[in-house]
Structures are given as C-alpha cells and as structure tokens.
Amino acid sequence: MNRRDFRKKPFERLVVLGESTVQGGGWLESDADRWADVLARLIGECQEKPVEYINKGIGANAISSRSPGYPLSAKPSALERYKDDVIANSPDLFVCAYGLNDMRADMALADFIDDLRTVVSEVKAACDPIIVLTTVYYMTGWKSFGPFDKGSVVTTEGYNAAISALAEEQDCLLADVWGAADKADWLVNPDGVHANKVG
C-alpha cells in the first residue's frame, strides 16, 4: 500500500464544522472533553506551537434545508453557514462531521452526499486545507428525540459507506469513528445519542 504525506509542515488553523458532537453539551463534564478539543490538543503536542482551533458545532444541526429535520433543527444549516464559518477562517485543516442528524431524520442519502460534496468541494477550492470527513458514530437511541428518530444501524452503514466514497472522490482523509466504536454500547452516553467521554 502506498502511503502519502498530506502535509509536511505544522498546522496553523483548525476549523471543525458539525453538530452537537462537535459543539458538546451536558453529556460531558467540560468543553475540554469534546473530541474536537482533544484533537486540537494532540496536534499541539506534536508541533512546536499549538494550532489555532475554531469550533463551529451547532447542536441539532442539519446539512441543509433539504433535510427533513431542518424545520426543527438549530439554524443555520451547514450549507447555509460554511462560507462564514469555514472559508472566511481560511483553515489549513478542516474537519467536517455531519450525517448523524440527517440520517436520523431520514434524509435521502443522495441529497445528503450532494450537499456534503458542495461543502467539501467549495472549501477545497477556496482555501485548499487538508480535509477530514468523519463517519456517523455509533448510537443506541434510535427512536428518541423526534423528528430525529428514524435512523437505524442499516441506514447508518449506508451513510458511512457513502461518506467513505466521497472522501476518496474528493481526496479527503476519513476518520472512521463508526468502525472504531465497533457497536460497543458502553461507549454511548445514557441519552443514547451522544458518545460518552471514552467514546
């Protein structure tokens, strides 16, 4: 297998765009426990100076107005805010973590991938950062919190296969958080939707 060094110099600015998993909330003791904060901290420990870290997570967020969950989601959607939240900040590392809410709201997979492709391709064209896409992570509360109560393991696996294919198509890195969790219930917060601190 040929390996590739995507970047040979330290990162200066990290922007993470996503949903509640990025924003954090009451299922964590502090913002420092958010995975995006942990990532920024680890990058800083591997470089001579810390990376500037910008968290652009919004709980209950949707990828676009095409998502059935959009009417009851926190606005604006990713498609409505990526220019201000990502491109305007000119990151050299961009992590995009979407799919959980749209999958749970039963958004058509083709529409979701089309909208995610727009975000990725336009960010790439504007500032050409290293881009990391995350898969949808494992959860257990499939029938909780309507209208985000229509997901399933099978639907999540379909989303994740499509996100993986898009990462390859757009020359992005893929963080397979679904595969890493391996359907372990003990990694899920009691709310059934968010990962706990270990997760």
Side-chain angles (χ1 to χ4, degrees), residues 2-199:
N2 291 330
R3 297 196 178 271
R4 173 173 152 211
D5 187 351
F6 276 72
R7 184 176 174 85
K8 298 182 183 298
K9 56 185 180 179
F11 290 109
E12 296 181 7
R13 182 175 295 136
L14 162 65
V15 174
V16 185
L17 184 75
E19 311 148 322
S20 59
T21 60
V22 174
Q23 182 186 33
W27 61 93
L28 296 172
E29 291 181 13
S30 73
D31 285 350
D33 293 330
R34 299 180 298 190
W35 65 259
D37 291 63
V38 173
L39 173 64
R41 200 160 53 243
L42 290 172
I43 290 171
E45 290 174 3
C46 296
Q47 301 184 162
E48 291 184 0
K49 59 182 181 179
V51 64
E52 180 185 352
Y53 161 52
I54 301 171
N55 186 305
K56 290 295 182 177
I58 297 179
N61 204 224
I63 190 79
S64 79
S65 61
R66 293 199 284 183
S67 176
Y70 178 79
L72 293 178
S73 71
K75 315 287 189 304
S77 70
L79 208 59
E80 294 166 326
R81 66 190 180 100
Y82 73 91
K83 291 179 182 176
D84 290 335
D85 285 358
V86 183
I87 292 174
N89 284 303
S90 299
D92 50 19
L93 178 58
F94 168 46
V95 181
C96 189
Y98 270 88
L100 177 70
N101 292 332
D102 303 300
M103 175 276 298
R104 293 168 59 219
D106 200 26
M107 183 178 187
L109 180 54
D111 290 346
F112 171 79
I113 290 297
D114 185 51
D115 292 338
L116 184 59
R117 179 182 289 111
T118 296
V119 173
V120 169
S121 62
E122 294 203 11
V123 168
K124 181 181 287 191
C127 44
D128 196 30
I130 302 299
I131 299 177
V132 181
L133 300 183
T134 68
T135 56
V136 177
Y137 63 86
Y138 179 64
M139 55 170 286
T140 56
W142 302 108
K143 300 305 175 188
S144 303
F145 310 110
F148 305 106
D149 58 354
K150 299 169 182 66
S152 68
V153 169
V154 171
T155 307
T156 305
E157 289 174 337
Y159 261 67
N160 287 342
I163 292 168
S164 178
L166 181 66
E168 184 172 351
E169 171 196 303
Q170 294 292 319
D171 197 29
C172 302
L173 294 170
L174 180 73
D176 184 9
V177 293
W178 171 268
D182 198 26
K183 300 188 184 84
D185 290 354
W186 56 272
L187 296 175
V188 182
N189 182 269
D191 68 12
V193 176
H194 301 98
N196 59 29
K197 183 174 180 178
V198 177

